[in-house]
Amino acid sequence: MNEFSHMDLHGDRVAYRDEGTGPVLLLIHGMAGSSRTWDAVLPVLARKYRVIAPDLPGHGDSAKPRGDYSLGAFAAFLRDLLRELDVESATIVGQSLGGGVAMQFTYQHPEYCERLILIGSGGLGPDVNWTLRLLSAPGAELVLPIIAPRPVLEVGNKIRSWLSSAGVHSPRADETWRSYSSLSDRETRQAFLRTLRSVVDYRGQAVSAMNRLYLNSEMPTLLIWGDHDKIIPVAHGYSAHEAIPGSRLEILEGIGHYPHAEAPAAVVEIIDDFLDVASAEVRKLS
């Protein structure tokens, strides 16, 4: 298990992982997630890169203040985190909500961004799983404690432990369960709802970067998607690929919303190749 570091940032506790040396990768997790979502790829990437993976505010082991959980606020948080860690630039990697945050970051703070990698990214169209639409509606505050009570989660954790002992393992189910179980905590629920409602309403994703993607035309961009993604459809990947000149799109067959957990070796190989090619192109230009 990777070790966490902690810092105080503007009075709030921030949990993050900072491993390896070399070119910097900033890994941004999805909604109701944490940096643990990168467990399968982080140690391998850290052999070649310096990998920084924070728990976003309101998530994981970071503080959950009553505050702003918009994409812009997350982007400002990441800028301040990189500044505190003396990082001048990085390849920005975002999954799901983290993809939306990554795109916002490249828009607000382009001076920190060398390359962009989006994995099953949000913010590229209205379509999103119907469960998230329902939870964005008024009254979800009353429903969440009922559908994610601690006794049910304790039983579920025991069942998962038994299945793991028996050799039954499903990364997709593990990631879904991890997100679901985090909602048993009241502060996490409140932060989750503030985050969700900043980007989703009853009609779907309410924030889209599609009309600004041309701004990244000079930035090497990689899109990774699972063709069985039931949260954010792979069609969004194709649309973004068409909208970003020179971008690279990799579709993983039989993979869902968590390619980095479901097919970690493939994702690491794709990222490695992308970074090698992008670096070679930069050397040619210089």
Side-chain angles (χ1 to χ4, degrees):
M1 185 66 67
N2 308 109
E3 293 296 323
F4 276 99
S5 298
H6 296 86
M7 73 166 66
D8 184 286
L9 190 62
H10 308 316
D12 291 319
R13 171 186 170 95
V14 174
Y16 65 98
R17 299 176 188 185
D18 186 352
E19 299 193 16
T21 58
V24 179
L25 302 183
L26 176 64
L27 308 185
I28 312 171
H29 64 77
M31 193 178 305
S34 74
S35 58
R36 293 193 184 281
T37 194
W38 305 108
D39 280 353
V41 297
L42 194 152
V44 184
L45 291 171
R47 296 172 189 166
K48 190 173 180 180
Y49 310 100
R50 179 183 179 187
V51 184
I52 298 171
D55 287 353
L56 293 173
H59 296 73
D61 199 38
S62 288
K64 300 166 181 64
R66 185 176 182 274
D68 185 358
Y69 288 91
S70 66
L71 297 181
F74 285 134
F77 158 80
L78 292 172
R79 174 204 59 199
D80 294 345
L81 176 66
L82 292 183
R83 185 178 294 165
E84 287 294 318
L85 295 174
D86 294 321
V87 173
E88 296 182 354
S89 63
T91 292
I92 314 301
V93 185
Q95 189 264 338
S96 197
L97 169 76
V101 175
M103 287 185 286
Q104 183 70 27
F105 186 77
T106 63
Y107 176 64
Q108 285 183 208
H109 310 292
E111 68 277 10
Y112 281 93
C113 307
E114 296 177 359
R115 306 169 191 84
L116 176 63
I117 300 175
L118 302 175
I119 304 175
S121 177
L124 294 170
D127 307 288
V128 72
N129 185 275
W130 64 269
T131 305
L132 294 178
R133 298 187 189 198
L134 287 178
L135 291 176
S136 71
E141 295 87 345
L142 304 176
V143 174
L144 278 178
I146 298 172
I147 64 175
R150 284 196 180 276
V152 170
L153 297 175
E154 289 171 1
V155 171
N157 285 330
K158 288 181 181 178
I159 293 173
R160 288 179 69 242
S161 179
W162 294 336
L163 291 174
S164 179
S165 299
V168 179
H169 183 59
S170 170
R172 192 184 310 179
D174 288 346
E175 289 298 315
T176 302
W177 178 261
R178 187 179 289 165
S179 297
Y180 169 70
S181 60
S182 73
L183 300 178
S184 65
D185 175 73
R186 182 178 63 85
E187 289 184 341
T188 301
R189 284 198 302 271
Q190 292 174 344
F192 165 75
L193 289 174
R194 290 193 184 102
T195 303
L196 177 65
R197 288 167 177 166
S198 73
V199 291
V200 173
D201 61 23
Y202 71 94
R203 292 174 295 180
Q205 294 189 69
V207 178
S208 175
M210 288 298 289
N211 63 345
R212 295 196 307 240
L213 290 180
Y214 72 93
L215 295 172
N216 285 335
S217 59
E218 299 301 316
M219 184 179 299
T221 300
L222 168 65
L223 303 148
I224 302 174
W225 232 279
D227 67 350
H228 281 35
D229 193 330
K230 302 300 182 185
I231 305 296
I232 301 175
V234 68
H236 289 201
Y238 286 108
S239 297
H241 177 50
E242 292 180 6
I244 305 175
S247 62
R248 173 174 169 180
L249 174 64
E250 295 284 348
I251 305 297
L252 300 179
E253 294 184 4
I255 300 300
H257 190 54
Y258 305 99
H260 56 291
E262 298 175 55
V267 168
V268 168
E269 183 178 356
I270 291 167
I271 290 175
D272 245 344
D273 183 67
F274 169 71
L275 294 178
D276 285 344
V277 170
S279 296
E281 290 176 351
V282 169
R283 287 194 294 271
K284 282 183 183 178
L285 291 174
S286 61

